[in-house]
Amino acid sequence: MGKAENSRIALPVGSNLDRFINKNQEAFKYATGELSQLIRDLAYAGKVVNREINRAGLAGITGAYGSENVQGEEQQNLDVAANIRFTRALKKGGEVAAIISEEDEDIIDLNNPRSKYIIAIDPLDGSSNIDVNVSIGTIFSIYRRISPAGSPVQEEDVLQAGKHQVAAGYILYGSSTMFVYTTGKGVNGFTYEPSLGEYILSHQNMKMPKDGKVYSVNEGSYRSFDDDVKAYIETCKDRGYSARYIGSLVADFHRNLLKGGIYIYPSTEKAPNGKLRLMYECNALAMIAEQAGGLATDGKQRIMDIEPESLHQRVPFFVGSKHMVEEASK
Ligand SMILES: O=P(O)(O)OC[C@H]1O[C@](O)(COP(=O)(O)O)[C@@H](O)[C@@H]1O
Ligand SMILES: [Mg+2]
Ligand SMILES: [Mg+2]
């Protein structure tokens, strides 16, 4: 792995996340440590959720919870468990003023008067894969609030465009568990070492290849894709690219981040605005992609330039290797 360049964090692979966070903070002159602690709180909650995922089958916590979320999707037990774990850890941590969660219709105001951060979170991504032991994830975006700390959280604090994220990342619960994040100074990945209970720096200054030979789309809805998307998929097939679709956004994204490729969830007849949610799925992965040299659009414009109108709004999503997304977005 190349030596970290210019303002990137220089730490040997093998360092733990905590040490990296401290080092990262030094790069921010006016840092007060609150964002650092917030990232630690997320990483900690991720360890707890990781343990619950690993033993879900044993503890009988797989299956449906018996209620629907605001999107009308059936909540899985682990969706609800993960949502509780992250909300609780962030509340206790005291660094977050409010949360937007996929599993909650409204903003969760944590009444942490002194806190200046807002978090948007998909506690468990890839819910359809929970019970079948396929990789799943958690996705998060962090913003600084606009209204002064201590005052009630306003809509303007939470409905901010992706370009205003101060940090973003995901946790991948796969064959190994990884914590991947950015604070706007490159992307770094940490692999969880359960016997130590530590996240260890394993992927430093991650770069997404500019091109790839993998396309990732649910072709089951192919007939209702618009002609441009169909044309791009045909181009991929003409070129002999491989089709890979895990059905867990975080896992499909992570593969393309490492190997190159494109993930597309376009608008369809069933989902005219696509399926994925701008605030807690697309913005975070867009920031990671761009920080790693990739790109993310809704097929027309840069995802992070989209001004959000509602907490759970959906957008078509094209993300991955820069040249592939450029071509697919034409
Ligand atoms: O089954 P489909 O329509 O292809 O959708 C799969 C997509 O939906 C998601 O499961 C949506 O995320 P949630 O599981 O968090 O609701 C993505 O992870 C995945 O890429
Ligand atoms: Mg999701
Ligand atoms: Mg989810």
Side-chain angles (χ1 to χ4, degrees), residues 109-125:
D109 190 331
L110 295 180
N111 299 322
N112 285 331
R114 65 170 182 75
S115 170
K116 57 182 185 226
Y117 291 107
I118 305 285
I119 198 161
I121 190 163
D122 178 356
L124 208 75
D125 176 68

Side-chain angles (χ1 to χ4, degrees), residues 73 102-103 122-127 137 139 248-250 275-277 280-281:
E73 290 161 350
E102 178 189 5
E103 303 309 331
D122 178 356
L124 208 75
D125 176 68
S127 308
I139 310 174
S248 290
L249 170 62
V250 169
K275 176 182 182 178
L276 300 171
R277 284 53 60 115
Y280 42 78
E281 289 171 318

Side-chain angles (χ1 to χ4, degrees), residues 207-217 232 236 239 241-245 249 251-265 285 289 292-297 317-329:
K207 290 285 172 219
M208 189 184 268
K210 294 276 181 256
D211 266 302
K213 293 193 171 12
V214 163
Y215 66 101
S216 199
V217 61
Y232 179 71
C236 292
R239 293 178 187 155
Y241 290 176
S242 298
R244 292 279 182 278
Y245 191 72
L249 170 62
D252 282 310
F253 176 85
H254 188 73
R255 182 203 51 246
N256 294 341
L257 174 61
L258 296 175
K259 304 279 183 186
I262 185 171
Y263 171 98
I264 303 175
Y265 206 109
L285 299 184
L295 189 60
T297 74
F317 196 38
F318 297 67
V319 63
S321 295
K322 192 166 187 304
H323 299 156
M324 298 179 86
V325 176
E326 281 167 348
E327 186 180 4
S329 303

Side-chain angles (χ1 to χ4, degrees), residues 131-195:
D131 294 354
V132 291
N133 218 346
V134 170
S135 301
I136 48 183
T138 292
I139 310 174
F140 61 87
S141 283
I142 302 174
Y143 297 87
R144 194 171 285 112
R145 61 181 299 172
I146 296 170
S147 65
S151 64
V153 172
Q154 311 293 323
E155 191 168 85
E156 61 167 350
D157 293 316
V158 290
L159 288 182
Q160 298 188 51
K163 59 189 165 207
H164 300 305
Q165 290 170 100
V166 292
Y170 59 84
I171 306 171
L172 174 63
Y173 312 101
S175 43
S176 69
T177 293
M178 282 193 71
F179 188 92
V180 177
Y181 82 109
T182 182
T183 54
K185 289 187 178 298
V187 178
N188 292 278
F190 302 79
T191 300
Y192 185 53
E193 170 45 283
S195 62

Side-chain angles (χ1 to χ4, degrees), residues 5 17 36 71 74 94 116 137 142 167 184 205 220 253 277 279 300 313 319:
E5 60 203 52
L17 176 61
S36 299
Q71 354 259 330
E74 188 179 42
K116 57 182 185 226
I142 302 174
N205 198 18
F253 176 85
R277 284 53 60 115
M279 293 307 292
K300 296 188 181 69
Q313 82 183 72
V319 63

